[in-house]
Amino acid sequence: MFRPILMLGLLAAFSLPANAENVTHFILPNGLEAIVIEDHRAPVVVQMVWYKAGSADEQRGKSGVAHFLEHLMFKGTDDLAPGELSKVVEANGGSDNAFTSYDYTAYYQRISADRLELVMRMEADRMRDLILSEDDWQTEREVIIEERNQRTDSDPAAIFGEQRRAAQYLNSPYGTPVIGWRHEMEQLTRDDALAWYRRYYAPNNAVLVVAGDVQPDQVKALAEQYYGPLAPTPDLGPRQRAQEPPQLAERRMTFADPRVAQPYVTRSYLAPERDPGDQAQAAALTVLAQVLGGNGATSVLGKALMFGTPKALYVGAGYDGMAIDDTTFNLFVVPAEGVSLQQAEDAMDATLAKFMDEGVDPAQFARIKTQITAGEIYALDQVQGLAQRYGEALASGLTVDDVKGWPDALRAVTEADVMTAAKDVFDRRRAVTGWLSQPAAVEVTQ
């Protein structure tokens, strides 16, 4: 836990981190957007390529294709054998991986700074020259289905989360799991993967982020050499997605499974995302999540439900505004022994009602603002974290100025802003309340 007095002194001394301004931004003629983040403390570099295409951009009925292609991207090109990119990175003392989300797919390598040209050449090669054999795509389809078996179908909490999200979003593609619905994953083909690849994996739909012991001119020259000749996708217009209709009534669900080890109550409210040039509301919601459930010992829910006569073993609140369309604000309560799910929900609601009536405790608010500011400063010490921060933001529709301005937006949040955000978001007509338990534990008090 941060000590407020000590931390205030630290923030006064380091309110402007040394590497805060070492960010260079340029765009190549073929549309590739690039960010260079200088950090010369260690001879290491991180290269990330973010494609502005995630599971929420998939065609209806083809769920999972974005994640499917992420796996297939390691199968080789006209110049690289299957698996060669990862083997070369490892042989040079580095590491690489990839991940898919709703709004983007990203690939990265972390390696010695003098090997940047090596990884840039290989990454650029697979942006447009992927080769998929019949064996490659069929084998990898079985891999992603098995991944779903292990991560979702065998985990009742994961199934519960998937079902809750589907209940939250009736029409938005955010209601479809990133990994895909199993019955649609089983029908994915080589042609599906290639159609996705040819449309979205292009320089004019990508963000290159290079962070570490590099010079901007050096990175730009290498980017021009390796990414510059790649052809853009013509007529790639703005993202067009189905939008969510107004939610007019609370949705409730229960999921009972004998494999559940610990029951809990959760509620998610539709909430606005971070918007380009307007991050004030998202910043207030970020602080609100910390006030309500950021720390079990000091948060509003924690102090009310975990101490004295405890109603909960654990509580939490969360908000992540990094999304293109409406996101969610989330609460959850894990009941203490002998406390039913209904009693836990009632206690959560009583605590929220009291908070809305009394407002933010000034001492708690000052402590949380200090902790958030400190967290923003410490985040600058992680090269890969910085690369991810810029890449995720630009792939999600924000700008470099938005990223740079986010710490100031958080610092500007007032107690009144937090309460206004809470009043706007905490509308049960825009919420999904869910119970997870073993079958015998699902009892609703009338």
Side-chain angles (χ1 to χ4, degrees):
M1 183 185 302
F2 294 116
R3 295 183 182 274
I5 295 177
L6 176 62
M7 189 54 61
L8 285 172
L10 178 66
L11 299 184
F14 297 102
S15 57
L16 291 176
N19 60 348
E21 297 181 359
N22 294 340
V23 176
T24 303
H25 176 231
F26 61 87
I27 300 176
L28 297 184
N30 61 3
L32 179 75
E33 189 169 12
I35 297 291
V36 183
I37 305 168
E38 292 180 70
D39 187 333
H40 301 291
R41 292 173 298 175
V44 175
V45 67
V46 174
Q47 176 187 231
M48 305 189 82
V49 171
W50 298 72
Y51 293 99
K52 300 176 185 179
S55 66
D57 300 296
E58 294 167 343
Q59 178 184 345
R60 297 284 192 185
K62 301 291 185 181
S63 67
V65 70
H67 177 246
F68 183 33
L69 182 62
E70 177 212 310
H71 279 243
L72 292 170
M73 282 288 284
F74 293 86
K75 293 302 180 183
T77 69
D78 50 354
D79 295 321
L80 294 169
E84 182 178 352
L85 185 150
S86 295
K87 291 177 182 177
V88 170
V89 171
E90 183 179 6
N92 282 269
S95 61
D96 75 311
N97 214 325
F99 49 88
T100 306
S101 188
Y102 292 98
D103 297 316
Y104 51 76
T105 309
Y107 302 82
Y108 69 88
Q109 302 87 33
R110 181 181 177 90
I111 201 165
S112 174
D114 62 357
R115 302 292 193 276
L116 174 60
E117 181 173 4
L118 172 66
V119 294
M120 190 176 286
R121 174 177 56 78
M122 293 190 294
E123 190 63 78
D125 184 38
R126 67 174 173 176
M127 181 177 282
R128 278 311 213 184
D129 287 336
L130 182 67
I131 293 176
L132 299 180
S133 72
E134 287 294 324
D135 290 339
D136 285 341
W137 76 266
Q138 293 190 61
T139 300
E140 211 58 42
R141 187 176 65 182
E142 295 306 311
V143 170
I144 63 169
I145 291 172
E146 181 57 29
E147 184 177 335
R148 182 183 167 88
N149 287 340
Q150 294 180 8
R151 295 188 178 182
T152 303
D153 297 336
S154 63
D155 182 354
I159 298 172
F160 177 57
E162 187 176 83
Q163 292 293 304
R164 283 189 297 108
R165 195 170 182 97
Q168 185 84 70
Y169 295 103
L170 297 185
N171 197 49
S172 165
Y174 284 167
T176 300
V178 172
I179 199 167
W181 299 116
R182 184 187 182 96
H183 67 286
E184 294 181 353
M185 295 168 67
E186 292 173 340
Q187 301 302 314
L188 292 174
T189 67
R190 177 177 179 270
D191 287 344
D192 293 329
L194 286 174
W196 179 267
Y197 172 73
R198 289 165 181 161
R199 177 168 180 78
Y200 292 115
Y201 279 50
N204 57 326
N205 198 48
V207 178
L208 168 68
V209 182
V210 177
D213 189 18
V214 293
Q215 297 292 338
D217 290 346
Q218 167 207 11
V219 175
K220 186 174 183 180
L222 289 173
E224 290 172 339
Q225 179 180 353
Y226 292 107
Y227 291 103
L230 302 180
T233 294
D235 304 321
L236 185 63
R239 289 168 163 175
Q240 299 292 333
R241 292 178 176 175
Q243 296 298 299
E244 192 69 9
Q247 183 177 339
L248 305 177
E250 181 185 12
R251 298 164 192 158
R252 300 187 63 90
M253 61 168 289
T254 60
F255 183 74
D257 190 300
R259 298 171 295 177
V260 171
Q262 179 62 65
Y264 59 86
V265 177
T266 184
R267 182 177 297 144
S268 56
Y269 300 84
L270 284 175
E273 74 282 1
R274 281 172 65 179
D275 289 323
D278 182 10
Q279 303 183 97
Q281 191 172 16
L285 288 169
T286 300
V287 176
L288 174 63
Q290 291 297 310
V291 169
L292 289 178
N295 182 293
T298 60
S299 67
V300 170
L301 289 170
K303 289 193 295 185
L305 302 184
M306 294 174 62
F307 298 94
T309 303
K311 297 286 187 182
L313 296 175
Y314 194 68
V315 300
Y319 167 78
D320 183 359
M322 194 65 73
I324 290 177
D325 299 312
D326 276 355
T327 182
T328 56
F329 189 100
N330 305 286
L331 305 168
F332 70 90
V333 176
V334 178
E337 185 175 357
V339 177
S340 70
L341 292 171
Q342 185 67 60
Q343 290 169 332
E345 183 181 343
D346 291 344
M348 178 180 74
D349 286 335
T351 303
L352 289 178
K354 183 179 180 182
F355 170 74
M356 297 302 294
D357 183 56
E358 296 180 354
V360 182
D361 175 72
Q364 182 204 19
F365 184 75
R367 181 175 59 250
I368 286 173
K369 288 289 292 293
T370 299
Q371 292 173 354
I372 288 175
T373 302
E376 289 296 310
I377 291 174
Y378 289 141
L380 298 176
D381 282 336
Q382 300 295 326
V383 174
Q384 188 158 337
L386 269 177
Q388 180 142 345
R389 174 177 294 197
Y390 276 90
E392 182 181 26
L394 270 64
S396 301
L398 298 178
T399 67
V400 172
D401 287 341
D402 292 324
V403 180
K404 291 182 176 180
W406 180 241
D408 289 336
L410 290 171
R411 282 190 286 268
V413 173
T414 66
E415 296 171 40
D417 294 333
V418 169
M419 296 311 300
T420 298
K423 290 173 184 176
D424 290 342
V425 167
F426 291 150
D427 182 345
R428 291 283 287 273
R429 295 170 299 179
R430 291 166 55 83
V432 174
T433 303
W435 290 8
L436 175 68
S437 74
Q438 293 186 341
V442 180
E443 298 175 2
V444 180
T445 301
Q446 298 297 326

